[in-house]
Amino acid sequence: MSELTVRVTDRRDEAEGVFALELAAAGPGALPRWTPGAHIDVHAESVGQRQYSLCGDPVDERRWRIAILREPAGRGGSEHLYRTAHPGTELRVSLPRNNFALVPSAEYLFVAGGIGITPILPMLAAAERAGARFSLYYGARTRAHLAFTGELARYERVTLVPQDEAGLLPIAALLAETTATVYCCGPAPLLDAVESEGARRGLSVHTERFTPRRVDNGVDRAFQVRLARSGQVLSVAADRSIVDVLEGAGVAIVTSCREGTCGSCETTFLEGEVQHRDSVLSAEERARGRTLMPCVSRALSDVLVLEL
């Protein structure tokens, strides 16, 4: 089972433009377990699938919670759910998937911007249970745009940074003063700043993106993909993705976002040189050279051998 149907049991506003949905299994039985940092894909009918972090209690098998930033000028997913997702509504969702898992550490620095607080919420509780030291810096445009502040009030080392009152999150200063493991989620400029400053200081930095990383990909070129199990060789034109070619050849592969952010299509490769274009794999994972995201990644070599 890769998908299930859930029912909205509660809906509430959590901040300016942010609404939370509480979800329960539509049928008998418990919901699948998940770990802090996990997200699910939610089907928004003709609009497509959208990814939302689980931000409730991982131990609670009766309820999930997601929070959605309403973006009237966005791609349509949040606006569709804003209009249609009310108590009693049934939604088709994926099983939880975690590309942002909380690694063991004695100390954490959490940095969140706007709706990026959602995967961080269960991490705070997990860090507290583990007895780790942690602090959170959470920024948004105004105080009204800061979500879940009532829940955050129970933690001592939480600093709220409304931009209209205090300016942008002081990333350079925060990372200059810590040796902690850093977790960050939020808008792309915030993630870029944390990744850049963290790399400069040699810190362990973990980020999650729900929009593709901006990179200069150069000029696309054609290459071939060989499937190790069958020996089949497929040609990937410069204007087609590996996923498109695999699906066209009848090769079953799980996909969701098709833009390198969700990790659902992660595939092992055995030979070849990969141009990674995803926003999921860390620098260390790319250096190990074991997997790629065929929805966006391409080959720098003439042939890629996939474990398919």
Side-chain angles (χ1 to χ4, degrees):
M1 180 184 66
S2 60
E3 293 185 348
L4 69 155
T5 300
V6 297
R7 180 178 292 109
V8 178
T9 58
D10 190 28
R11 170 174 168 156
R12 64 185 65 185
D13 293 333
E14 292 293 348
E16 183 73 30
V18 176
F19 62 101
L21 301 178
E22 188 174 280
L23 310 173
L31 290 166
R33 298 294 297 270
W34 58 280
T35 54
H39 69 266
I40 56 173
D41 299 336
V42 178
H43 293 262
E45 296 184 359
S46 61
V47 179
Q49 299 179 55
R50 296 295 183 266
Q51 302 159 48
Y52 298 106
S53 296
L54 291 168
C55 58
D57 181 359
V59 179
D60 189 347
E61 297 181 348
R62 299 172 301 158
R63 289 182 293 268
W64 285 348
R65 185 178 64 177
I66 59 174
I68 300 168
L69 173 63
R70 184 188 181 193
E71 299 178 281
R75 295 181 297 163
S78 66
E79 190 66 12
H80 171 83
L81 292 170
Y82 178 81
R83 293 195 314 268
T84 64
H86 298 279
T89 302
E90 291 192 350
L91 300 173
R92 191 158 52 98
V93 303
S94 73
L95 297 182
R97 184 167 55 249
N98 200 339
N99 303 315
F100 194 42
L102 188 67
V103 300
S105 180
E107 183 176 5
Y108 299 97
L109 170 61
F110 297 108
V111 181
I115 196 64
I117 191 62
T118 52
I120 302 296
L121 275 176
M123 292 184 179
L124 299 176
E128 184 177 60
R129 286 195 299 268
R133 300 185 302 277
F134 63 91
S135 57
L136 166 68
Y137 289 82
Y138 177 28
R141 283 182 290 162
T142 71
R143 194 168 293 273
H145 288 86
L146 294 164
F148 300 105
T149 53
E151 294 181 30
L152 294 174
R154 63 182 290 256
Y155 301 109
E156 291 183 3
R157 299 185 63 189
V158 169
T159 302
L160 304 180
V161 187
Q163 184 178 341
D164 64 338
E165 299 176 23
L168 296 173
L169 286 160
I171 300 304
L174 294 178
L175 271 59
E177 298 170 358
T178 188
T179 58
T181 300
V182 180
Y183 275 79
C184 178
C185 187
L190 172 63
L191 299 174
D192 293 342
V194 170
E195 288 177 344
S196 175
E197 189 66 21
R200 193 170 74 84
R201 297 189 176 278
L203 297 173
S204 175
V205 174
H206 304 260
T207 60
E208 183 167 51
R209 295 174 183 263
F210 287 112
T211 57
R213 187 191 306 270
R214 296 186 298 272
V215 294
D216 181 4
N217 295 320
V219 178
D220 290 342
R221 56 187 290 276
F223 57 95
Q224 291 185 321
V225 167
R226 178 158 58 86
L227 310 184
R229 296 173 190 168
S230 66
Q232 187 176 9
V233 177
L234 304 172
S235 295
V236 182
D239 61 349
R240 298 194 71 197
S241 69
I242 299 174
V243 157
D244 288 341
V245 171
L246 291 173
E247 290 180 335
V251 179
I253 184 165
V254 176
T255 65
S256 177
C257 73
R258 292 182 177 262
E259 58 184 16
T261 59
C262 75
S264 63
C265 67
E266 185 170 5
T267 301
T268 299
F269 73 93
L270 305 176
E271 297 177 29
E273 187 178 359
V274 176
Q275 183 184 58
H276 294 285
R277 297 183 176 183
D278 65 273
S279 304
V280 176
L281 297 176
S282 66
E284 293 80 6
E285 289 169 328
R286 294 181 180 193
R288 285 199 294 269
R290 296 176 183 172
T291 64
L292 56 79
M293 305 298 161
C295 65
V296 291
S297 296
R298 302 191 67 80
L300 296 174
S301 54
D302 292 332
V303 180
L304 275 181
V305 181
L306 305 182
E307 192 178 45
L308 291 173

